[in-house]
């Protein structure tokens, strides 16, 4: 049975859900940074998902990436499935800006996270709620 | 018209090709590290590809990741589309090991590349040639 990994639960807010994925917001206001976590048990790699799930993941990942780009007027979207520390499959989607804290480097290991206050978190979540994400996701 | 970005050409060897992608081997023997580059002009983000191309990219990416895992007995595969410096869409696929130079951190910005000598490069390429990659790729 699928259960969200404790580390992912501790580092994020769950903001929405599709048939396939949880949509999580990373608690770091350095960047609009979301994760997709397929609700499938014991999956560490994308290729372990069924082909149908892989294609659905691609559809949802692309919608999320385009939404982050459009909603936050980002310069670039970074998408990554790493998982060297937390094995449960989770796919990072990070909106990047030429003046962000780590630009142009990848974000991992660059600067300490800055946790959201409630007001800023609500603002980001509301922006995503009002986007095209409702094609797949329920908030 | 599609043309491989000069920086990607300088950093890699082109080892195979599918209908959609170039398959490149990064010139760094720290890790078996491949890239897929869709042969489509002016594409910076996965979501800019057609939906058919996105699904084909997923199929080829999963085959490549599983092949790297199986052929090199890797512990984890890292898959990432970053592109903050080189804008042409390229998707990293890196076989990771618990004793590799950057484990468990993401590889970017960790240790300097160690260029291949011809013998070691040929060995990696031959391993990939003898794999299931020929489902999509011509070497």
């Amino acid at each position: 049975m699928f259960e969200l990994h404790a580390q992912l639960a501790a580092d994020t807010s769950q903001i929405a859900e599709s048939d396939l994925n949880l949509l999580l917001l990373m608690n770091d206001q350095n960047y609009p940074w979301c994760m997709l976590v397929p609700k499938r048990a014991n999956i560490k790699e994308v290729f372990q998902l069924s082909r149908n799930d892989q294609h659905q993941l691609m559809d949802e990942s692309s919608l999320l990436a385009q939404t982050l780009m459009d909603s936050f007027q980002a310069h670039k979207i970074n998408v990554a499935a790493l998982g060297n520390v937390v094995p449960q499959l989770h796919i990072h989607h990070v909106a990047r800006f030429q003046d962000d804290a780590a630009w142009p480097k990848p974000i991992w290991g660059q600067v300490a996270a800055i946790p959201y206050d409630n007001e800023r978190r609500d603002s980001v979540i509301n922006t995503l709620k009002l986007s095209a994400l409702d094609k797949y996701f329920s908030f």
Side-chain angles (χ1 to χ4, degrees), chain A residues 11-85:
Chain A
D11 293 343
T12 68
S13 304
Q14 181 181 324
I15 62 176
E17 190 166 0
S18 70
D19 289 345
L20 176 61
N21 284 304
L22 299 182
L23 173 56
L24 310 176
L25 177 67
M26 192 75 170
N27 189 19
D28 183 356
Q29 63 177 41
N30 279 305
Y31 332 87
W33 177 357
C34 291
M35 284 196 253
L36 293 179
V37 180
K39 298 180 290 181
R40 303 289 185 257
N42 303 318
I43 299 288
K44 298 181 181 184
E45 302 281 351
V46 172
F47 64 75
Q48 295 170 335
L49 295 169
S50 71
R51 189 160 181 250
N52 277 347
D53 279 355
Q54 289 179 36
H55 286 185
Q56 184 64 29
L57 174 60
M58 177 56 89
D59 291 344
E60 296 186 18
S61 172
S62 285
L63 178 64
L64 176 57
Q66 180 148 27
T67 299
L68 288 169
M69 184 79 110
D70 295 346
S71 295
F72 298 100
Q73 299 284 302
H75 180 71
K76 187 76 190 73
I77 306 298
N78 292 169
V79 180
L82 304 173
N84 302 334
V85 176

